[in-house]
Each structure stands twice: as structure tokens, then as C-alpha cells.
Amino acid sequence: MFDSRSAAASPSVSSGAPAPVRDLVAELEPLQRELNVAVWDASVSGSEADSLRRKELDGRIRALLSNPARRQAVQAARAALERGDAVADRELQVLDLLLAAHQMRPEVIARLVELEAGLDRSFNNFRAELDGRRVTDNELRRVLRESTNVDERRRAWEASKQIALEAEGPLLELVRLRNETAREQGYRDFYAMSLELDELDEGELFGLLDEAEAGTRERFRRYRDALDQRLAGRFGIAAADVRPWHLSDPFFQEAPQLGADLDAPFAGRDPVEIARRSFGAIGLELGDLVERADLYEKPGKSQHAFCLSVDRGPDVRVLCNLKPNEFWMSVLLHELGHALYDLKVDMGLPWLLRAPAHVLTTEATAILFERMTRNGAWLERFADMSAADARRTGRDLARATREQMLVMTRWCLVMCHMERAVYRDPEQDLDTLWWDLVERFQFVRRPEGRSRPDWASKIHFSVAPVYYHNYLLGHMLATQLEATLLARVAGRAGEPWDLVLGDPGSGRLLSERLFAPGRLRAWREAVHHATGKPFSAAAFVAEVCREE
């Protein structure tokens, strides 16, 4: 392993990197930094000028990476590399995967950039219309959480889908273009190509999805039966008449809060200060992360949340739209989890490897922290819930956590199967297919007579293609990480989670065994190194289905 250094001294390439790596990284690294700044500025401002700058830089990078001669040179360099230089070999491997994903004609690149930038701008700037006024996503979620007026709930749910009419056409053109470029390289479609170039096997992935589906099916059926009965009582309807707008968010990716009041501990509290204390207690100081972040609503700003490593060094930024409730507290912990992973990668690694081992490993870290808002020990320690209240609500919180993971699992199944189907055949009846999958996996009855491209209102199809499976895989790994942290304190006196949450050794374990190695190891090896076990869905499924 390399010695850690300051970001200014971080190497662009390893000492053994061959000329094709040195030459390409010398051009790519500064361009990527500029692009990341432009992405940030466009997301914060929503301005046309920032969006155009982002589009121009994106096009330059794609043109750079699309050169087939560069890829041939990288492949030849890898074949000629002397055995034993694992770092240089991994650099070449990662660079080859990156180049393979960008092999396309210049005119196709130009159109892809145009479409993707347009969709990103549309989602950033869009505000739904509800009852004659423009409203934010936060307002729509508030109605679905709190309102007992079914007509108002339905209007809010329908408003959450309005963006789909604007997004569907450009998105389908984007799908067709992506498929065209993938098939030119010999892949079935863009979905299959993306998985392979992201070091994922499609058969293995859908085997894990099938395991999660079969393992949670009956538990979810019982949960839905009970939920429908509660919703029927709340709204004065028959259980068979429960529809999407009776649920608490537009996609049923969040479990309705029908037991403990999860928002109460955060009312009137500063979520940033809670997060700072929480991470600091395990030895992961936020430093100046908050000063670089943009955390509250403003006109034109993206309504979503993300973390962005601008320079694969100290410049890591988090965007949120915080409110003092459990949803945004968990989102903040999630995004800061991403940020701390980025910051703790060994700065002595070369630029290509100075990143998380895989998207799923950084998602797992973010999810590990996101779950804390439903952990009784965490609420007592950091949200100042009394010990008596923490004990009294502990069982409800544990159940709420498992229910949330159950709901999330079934939602991810919808997204993964839908996206694969979209790329396999974008000409099919996607509107009907969406509701077929929603009914199959989420047991949510479709609205009668509705014929709209509701699927296209989910931002990930447009701006984060072939990504969503990483959330479910991340949950699986987060459960493994939890088990690893709890095993570390086994045998000590005290409540296990309280021991984990107050011990700087918890953060040190994550930093040294998962974060620091960056992308030096392929993700399966990285998981085994961090947890001592191979990646598996079994522990996650067992935890989700546990009933007490």
C-alpha cells in the first residue's frame, strides 16, 4: 500500500504506469475536475449557462475516451506489462473498462450529451403543479405523509408524475442511442454492456435479485395485508381499494410511518450538528465538509441529494434539501457516508484508483449510516431521546427498520426489472409493463384507466442509467458491515450498538479495511477484505424477514 500524502502531492499515475496511462490521465484528470465543478454548479443554480458548460466538458471527455487507438494502446500495454506490478495492472484494467464504455462515433456522442444534459436540466428545474401553484418535491411528500384528504393525496401523487410527460421522449431516444452504441461493440444492449464494464455479471446479479424476491415474498405479503388494513381504517375505505396515493411517498419506496413517530426526535433540531456528533464519535470527523456543502432548498436547485468527489482529493461536496425530519436526517447521513469514504481513500494511490472499490461498496457505507435514524442506541446518544423512550420504542424502531428494508427491496426489484426491460425493447408498451411490475413486486394496485408514462418520472432512468441495483446490493453489504462492526465489540460489557457508536475503532475499521484501499482491489475482493466473508444476500434476507 502507498504512503498517505496530501492531496497536492497525490500521484496522477503509479511509478510503473506505462505511457498510454500517463498520457491519457494527464488529459483526463483536469478535464474531469472541471466537469465535476460544472455538474455541481448546474445542480445548485439550475442556470442555462452552467448547464451548457457542463455539456461542453462532458462532450470533450467523451471524445477523448472514444478514440479507439487509445484503447488499443492500453490493451497492448497491459499485455506487455511485467508480472508483479499489481498497481499498474489495475490502472490499465480500470482504464480499459472506462475506454470500452465510451467507444462510439462523434455524432452519437454529441447527441447523447445533448439529451443527457437536457434531461438533467429538466429534472433540476422542474416543479410540479398542485392546485394551481408550483410546489417542491418536499411539499408533495408532506401531503402524502400527513394529509387525510384522499382527493388531495391523489392530486399530489399525480403531480409527482408530471415530469414524466416531459422526460419520456428524450429518455427513449437516449435508450435507443445507447443500445445502438452497445450493439456496435457486440453487446446485446446497453444494459448488458454497462453491467459487464462495471465488473458485474448479469446472471449473478439477477440470481441475487431472485434470491431476495423469493426470500421476502411471503413476509412482504403479510406486511402488505396488515398495511392495507391499517390504511383502510385511516381513510375509511376497503382494503381492496388501497391505491398508490394512499401510501406515504410517490413510488412506495418508503415504508409508511404508522407506529412510532420517527420525525419527533428531529423537530426543531439541527441535522448537521447531529451528524457532526455522530460521525465524530466513531472517529470520522467531518472537517470542512459542511462548509463545502449546499444543504437547503433554493429556487432552481436540484431537489434531490448527492455527493460529488470533485478532485478525488479533499474537495468532496454534498447537496441536500434539508428539513428537520427523519427522512432528511437519514439522507444527510447517507450522503456524508459517501463523502467520508471518498475522503478516506488513500491519497497515495494513483488517480484512477483513488475512488471507492465499486458503487455498491460506497452505497453500502452510505446505507450503513442512513439506517442510524431508526437505531434506538443512536437516537438516545445523538438525538437526545431519553433512555426510557429509547427502550420503550426500541422494538417499534427495529420493526420499522426491517419494514423499510422490506419495502425498499421490493421497490428495487421493480426498478431493476423495468430498466433491463426498457433496454431490451424500448418499443414495447412500457406504461403497462411498469404497472405489471409494480403489482407483481410491490402488490400495489394500478389506478383504473391510467395511461401515462409514470415510469419515466423516476430520475434514475434518465441521469443514472443501470445504477439502481447498487442500492439493493449496497443494503446487502451494509448488513455484512453491521455484522462486522458488532462482532468487533462482542464480549464487551454494554449494549452492542452503543459500544459501536461510541468507539473510534469503528470508524478506523471502516477506514483501514474498506475506504483506504480505494479501487486497488476489485469489489468482491474488497468486500472479503473488509468483512472477512464473501459477498452474500443471505444475511440481509434473513434480517429483513425476522419477526419479533
Side-chain angles (χ1 to χ4, degrees):
M1 181 57 62
F2 291 84
D3 294 327
S4 295
R5 316 175 190 180
S6 69
S10 298
S12 292
V13 296
S14 69
S15 59
V21 174
R22 295 196 303 272
D23 294 345
L24 188 49
V25 170
E27 294 184 66
L28 180 60
E29 183 179 359
L31 276 176
Q32 187 64 59
R33 190 184 307 116
E34 285 188 67
L35 173 61
N36 290 338
V37 171
V39 168
W40 177 261
D41 290 345
S43 298
V44 169
S45 72
S47 78
E48 180 73 16
D50 287 333
S51 181
L52 287 172
R53 183 162 59 95
R54 170 186 178 167
K55 184 171 66 174
E56 186 267 331
L57 288 162
D58 190 15
R60 287 170 61 186
I61 289 174
R62 293 192 194 205
L64 174 67
L65 296 173
S66 68
N67 187 330
R70 288 187 181 272
R71 189 180 182 206
Q72 291 165 8
V74 165
Q75 290 175 322
R78 191 174 183 200
L81 188 70
E82 292 184 10
R83 286 190 173 186
D85 194 340
V87 176
D89 183 63
R90 183 64 175 156
E91 282 179 286
L92 283 162
Q93 183 183 13
V94 168
L95 188 54
D96 187 37
L97 292 168
L98 181 63
L99 291 165
H102 288 85
Q103 297 302 296
M104 58 191 76
R105 300 186 306 278
E107 64 273 17
V108 173
I109 292 174
R111 186 56 181 157
L112 286 173
V113 169
E114 184 77 27
L115 289 166
E116 290 171 2
L119 282 164
D120 188 71
R121 187 169 62 252
S122 293
F123 275 95
N124 281 347
N125 293 339
F126 186 80
R127 299 296 184 270
E129 183 172 314
L130 177 63
D131 297 337
R133 59 192 179 90
R134 295 291 179 183
V135 296
T136 65
D137 287 352
N138 275 334
E139 174 64 15
L140 296 177
R141 280 195 292 267
R142 186 199 63 77
V143 172
L144 292 175
R145 283 197 316 271
E146 300 175 7
S147 177
T148 56
N149 183 320
V150 174
D151 288 339
E152 181 187 31
R153 296 180 68 90
R154 180 166 187 164
R155 293 194 302 274
W157 180 84
E158 290 175 344
S160 74
K161 310 300 179 190
Q162 290 168 0
I163 182 63
L165 296 174
E166 182 177 329
E168 182 195 24
L171 174 54
L172 286 175
E173 183 181 350
L174 195 56
V175 167
R176 296 182 188 107
L177 270 177
R178 288 169 174 164
N179 275 349
E180 179 184 328
T181 63
R183 287 167 182 153
E184 287 174 354
Q185 294 190 64
Y187 292 96
R188 183 193 72 222
D189 53 35
F190 178 79
Y191 191 89
M193 182 185 79
S194 296
L195 288 180
E196 182 172 323
L197 298 181
D198 202 27
E199 301 184 289
L200 286 167
D201 178 81
E202 186 174 355
E204 178 186 15
L205 171 61
F206 278 83
L208 288 165
L209 296 180
D210 289 346
E211 182 180 351
E213 195 285 320
T216 61
R217 186 186 307 137
E218 290 309 312
R219 175 70 186 90
F220 187 67
R221 191 180 304 280
R222 294 194 300 275
Y223 168 76
R224 277 309 314 264
D225 287 345
L227 175 61
D228 286 353
Q229 290 296 329
R230 293 197 296 270
L231 292 172
R234 181 185 180 191
F235 297 113
I237 59 176
D241 292 332
V242 170
R243 293 295 183 271
W245 46 85
H246 295 116
L247 299 161
S248 62
D249 77 84
F251 294 102
F252 190 33
Q253 63 187 83
E254 301 285 334
Q257 298 177 14
L258 298 177
D261 182 358
L262 300 180
D263 288 337
F266 307 105
R269 306 287 303 282
D270 180 1
V272 175
E273 181 56 30
I274 294 174
R276 192 184 295 279
R277 290 171 51 211
S278 178
F279 284 109
I282 60 170
L284 296 176
E285 300 293 342
L286 295 185
D288 62 353
L289 258 175
V290 173
E291 285 67 36
R292 289 195 304 276
D294 195 296
L295 298 177
Y296 299 96
E297 288 180 322
K298 63 180 69 171
K301 177 184 171 183
S302 170
Q303 298 186 82
H304 303 278
F306 64 85
C307 170
L308 182 66
S309 177
V310 171
D311 61 354
R312 301 197 182 188
D315 190 356
V316 179
R317 308 181 191 182
V318 166
L319 181 145
C320 286
N321 289 275
L322 295 180
K323 296 288 184 181
N325 57 36
E326 190 266 345
F327 172 83
W328 277 108
M329 185 73 246
S330 67
V331 170
L332 179 62
L333 293 173
H334 180 107
E335 300 305 340
L336 290 173
H338 282 305
L340 287 163
Y341 193 144
D342 289 333
L343 287 169
K344 297 297 183 179
V345 171
D346 188 342
M347 290 296 108
L349 286 165
W351 183 80
L352 285 166
L353 307 185
R354 208 183 311 142
H358 194 275
V359 172
L360 75 88
T361 62
T362 185
E363 285 299 344
T365 302
I367 289 163
L368 174 71
F369 295 116
E370 165 195 308
R371 291 177 180 177
M372 292 299 105
T373 59
R374 300 188 180 194
N375 181 306
W378 185 90
L379 287 167
E380 180 181 349
R381 181 181 280 267
F382 301 110
D384 298 333
M385 181 180 282
S386 71
D389 285 345
R391 285 193 298 271
R392 184 169 57 251
T393 61
R395 187 178 296 273
D396 287 342
L397 289 168
R399 185 182 68 249
T401 299
R402 291 194 295 273
E403 288 178 352
Q404 173 55 31
M405 291 193 293
L406 184 63
V407 167
M408 177 280 309
T409 298
R410 307 301 296 193
W411 161 244
C412 284
L413 291 169
V414 172
M415 287 293 293
C416 293
H417 283 270
M418 182 68 188
E419 189 163 31
R420 181 169 69 165
V422 167
Y423 281 99
R424 282 189 167 181
D425 181 10
E427 313 310 324
Q428 64 184 300
D429 183 354
L430 295 171
D431 302 352
T432 298
L433 174 63
W434 173 254
W435 284 105
D436 288 346
L437 292 171
V438 167
E439 289 186 336
R440 174 184 169 190
F441 293 122
Q442 293 182 292
F443 305 161
V444 175
R445 298 174 184 87
R446 72 189 73 198
E448 289 79 2
R450 186 171 179 83
S451 180
R452 297 286 184 91
D454 293 328
W455 63 277
S457 65
K458 189 60 179 171
I459 188 174
H460 294 74
F461 289 128
S462 292
V463 305
V466 198
Y467 186 99
Y468 220 85
H469 53 272
N470 289 300
Y471 294 123
L472 184 51
L473 298 180
H475 271 279
M476 294 174 182
L477 178 54
T479 299
Q480 283 188 229
L481 291 172
E482 285 181 349
T484 302
L485 292 171
L486 290 167
R488 184 178 171 278
V489 300
R492 299 186 194 175
E495 197 278 323
W497 268 114
D498 193 52
L499 294 171
V500 168
L501 294 169
D503 184 0
S506 299
R508 188 163 54 249
L509 182 150
L510 293 170
S511 293
E512 293 176 357
R513 291 171 60 175
L514 182 61
F515 304 164
R519 204 174 175 185
L520 183 60
R521 296 181 175 92
W523 71 266
R524 291 173 184 81
E525 184 185 352
V527 168
H528 198 284
H529 180 73
T531 68
K533 296 179 180 179
F535 183 83
S536 170
F540 171 76
V541 172
E543 175 62 21
V544 168
C545 295
R546 181 165 60 88
E547 296 185 73
E548 293 180 350

